[in-house]
Every structure is written in C-alpha cells, then in structure tokens.
Amino acid sequence: MDERVIGVDLGGTKILAGLVDRNGEIERHRETPTPLTSKEDLLRGLDDAVQALRDERVVAVGFGLPSQIDQRTGTIRGSVNIPLGEVSFRDRMSERFGLPVALDNDANVAAYAEHRAGAGRGSPTMLMFTLGTGCGGGAVLDGSLYRGWAEFGHIVIEADGLPCQGFCHGRGHLEPYVTGVAATKIAQELFGPAADSHRLVRLANEGDLEARGALAAIGHKFGIGVASMCNVFGADLVVVGGGFGVAGFEWLVPAALEVAKRDALDAAGETLRIVRAELGTMAGLIGAGLIAFDEV
Ligand SMILES: [Zn+2]
C-alpha cells in the first residue's frame, strides 16, 4: 500500500531522481549534475542518485535514458550526448540494488507519464511528440506503453527533403522541420542573426503576423507527421511536449490540426485532439517511476 519506487531521469546536464507513488505523485526529488568524464563515473552518479533516496518502502527502480535500448536483454546500445555506450544496464543495476529495474528511452517514459498522470489521462491510445532541440516520440496503445522504437522525428514527411539533424543521415524527416532548432533557423531568416525560436514565439504572442505565419508553417509540417502516425496507430489523442512544442503550442497546433484532419483517415481524423503536455520537466522522472511499478 505504502510502496514507492525511485524514478531516474538521466539528461545530458543533470540527473533528476525522485520517490514516486503508484499514482505518479512525486514525494521528493533531487537533482545532481550528470558526470560526463567516463562511463564508470556516470554509472556511479546514477548509483548515488538512487541510494540517496532509497528507504524501506522502495520496491523497484526505473530509468529514463537518452539511449537506444534492447528491451529483451536490458542492454544499452548507444546514447546521445552522454558517455553511456554498450552496457548491460538492467543486470548491473538490479544486482547493485537487489531490486527489479526497468529502463526505457526518455521520450517513451515521458509519454507514459502523460498517459497515466498528465494530459493523456482517460485516453487508452495516445501519441506524444516532444518538440525540443530534437523531435522525440512515444506511444501508449490500449493502456500499455509501446516499449519499442517510436522515433516519430524520423518519419519521412517530404520525399528527398531537408537533411535531418544531428547524426541522422536521412532526408525529409519530420525532425528538421519542427524542432526549436528549425524554428531558430526560420527566425534568423526573418528577423536577423540574433533571433531564435524563443524570440519567434514571443513575437507571435505579441501579435507579429510574420512570426505567427512562420509558426503556422511549422505546425503544418508537424500536422502531416501527426496524421501519418494516427493512421498507423489509430490514436485520436496527440500530446505535444518539449520546450519549443509547449511554448509555441498556441501557434503551431491550429495549422497542425487542420492538415492532420485532412490527411488522417476519418476514424481518427474526426475525433482527433492535440493537447499540450502537463507534466513539464517532471515527465521523465514520473514515467521512469511508473515503468518501475510495472515490474513489481
Ligand atoms: Zn532523421
């Protein structure tokens, strides 16, 4: 009844860890810098984050990681921006703590958190798009978190289109059209080299029609991706998170919804809703806790 888990959200700059209950409520949490000097230092940092919160009520530990994960073996295959390459993560952690351990990609756990404790409550099937510096995705299908790849940022929305961001060598993927990085590029074309995505959103909020138009154009591209994913998964609820997605929501979503309703099959399109994420920066921690409870 009084059981708790520890959820750990590992980011490129900080480790956010907290005690979480079955409803996804955070009892207390702490934040420490992410050790980036070596894999060993990073794993030690995670150990310390868990031990600092552990008490007799803790029955499992969950991790949200910026990593590609093989769920069958609990192994990390590689990570973005942190020194956490190949490692048998689940075995190492469950041996160390003597507790069941769950792990998943950070975007997947954020989607699960929104489904259980945020904007997706009450919708058995929902998709989440995280629009920040990158574009992440997560899917909850019939109440269960889809534990495989949900790389919505890398679906093709334009044949032979823009080169993708970062290490991705694809072209025309959703990501280079809809992130904060994409918005900064457009802002600089319109308002000069000092402009960025924050300024673009601020100008739109202040009534600038050019800025509103630019965000609507980004929203249009986003809606094309949303429609395709809704057609695949039969989802009629889409949650938008991430720094840029949440800040620009008001200007992105009307255009996204318009094109998504056109491109989605009737069954999804008629009832499609796109809503703003509610859990903010705590989504990863909460979701990591909730996948840990699923292991108990
Ligand atoms: Zn890509």
Side-chain angles (χ1 to χ4, degrees):
M1 200 58 197
D2 204 27
E3 288 176 344
R4 297 285 182 277
V5 292
I6 294 172
V8 182
D9 175 17
L10 173 60
T13 56
K14 63 177 191 282
I15 297 171
L16 189 58
L19 273 174
V20 178
D21 73 12
R22 273 193 188 277
N23 300 320
E25 296 282 338
I26 302 169
E27 186 175 297
R28 64 195 176 89
H29 70 277
R30 62 196 292 277
E31 197 181 302
T32 47
T34 303
L36 297 169
T37 32
S38 69
K39 180 159 92 180
E40 288 66 35
D41 291 345
L42 180 51
L43 290 169
R44 235 187 329 269
L46 293 172
D47 294 344
D48 294 345
V50 171
Q51 294 298 0
L53 288 164
R54 190 169 181 179
D55 64 27
E56 69 285 350
R57 298 169 300 163
V58 171
V59 294
V61 184
F63 293 88
L65 306 167
S67 310
Q68 287 172 13
I69 293 156
D70 182 340
Q71 286 294 348
R72 223 165 16 92
T73 57
T75 305
I76 293 176
R77 287 175 175 155
S79 303
V80 183
N81 297 329
I82 53 164
L84 196 57
E86 289 266 344
V87 54
S88 299
F89 192 87
R90 190 163 57 212
D91 285 351
R92 181 201 178 277
M93 290 300 183
S94 56
E95 264 169 44
R96 183 140 315 219
F97 304 128
L99 292 171
V101 167
L103 67 159
D104 212 325
N105 178 271
D106 45 12
N108 282 6
V109 298
Y112 199 40
E114 290 290 344
H115 164 68
R116 294 276 303 275
R121 266 187 307 251
S123 285
T125 294
M126 63 155 258
L127 306 178
M128 183 163 172
F129 289 77
T130 308
L131 309 183
T133 52
C135 173
V140 177
L141 308 173
D142 291 327
S144 299
L145 176 63
Y146 174 65
R147 303 297 295 267
W149 278 40
E151 295 287 352
F152 299 163
H154 302 281
I155 60 167
V156 177
I157 63 158
E158 193 167 305
D160 308 316
L162 290 178
C164 203
Q165 291 182 187
F167 297 112
C168 179
H169 46 67
R171 295 192 80 105
H173 291 183
L174 180 61
E175 184 165 276
Y177 295 93
V178 299
T179 58
V181 175
T184 289
K185 273 186 199 148
I186 292 165
Q188 288 172 348
E189 282 163 21
L190 291 175
F191 302 106
D196 63 7
S197 60
H198 303 279
R199 179 148 165 233
L200 189 65
V201 170
R202 196 170 62 240
L203 286 167
N205 290 341
E206 289 166 4
D208 187 292
L209 294 180
E210 220 175 355
R212 287 184 183 180
L215 289 169
I218 294 172
H220 179 85
K221 297 287 190 190
F222 176 53
I224 292 170
V226 164
S228 289
M229 289 299 95
C230 288
N231 286 342
V232 171
F233 290 106
D236 61 2
L237 181 71
V238 168
V239 177
V240 179
F244 174 63
V246 168
F249 185 89
E250 193 181 343
W251 312 111
L252 296 167
V253 165
L257 201 54
E258 191 183 338
V259 69
K261 280 179 181 271
R262 180 195 75 186
D263 285 350
L265 295 172
D266 279 347
E270 278 167 14
T271 54
L272 178 63
R273 289 183 303 135
I274 304 180
V275 300
R276 198 190 311 239
E278 290 177 2
L279 301 176
T281 53
M282 288 299 168
L285 192 174
I286 294 167
L290 292 170
I291 59 166
F293 266 121
D294 286 350
E295 297 295 312
V296 180

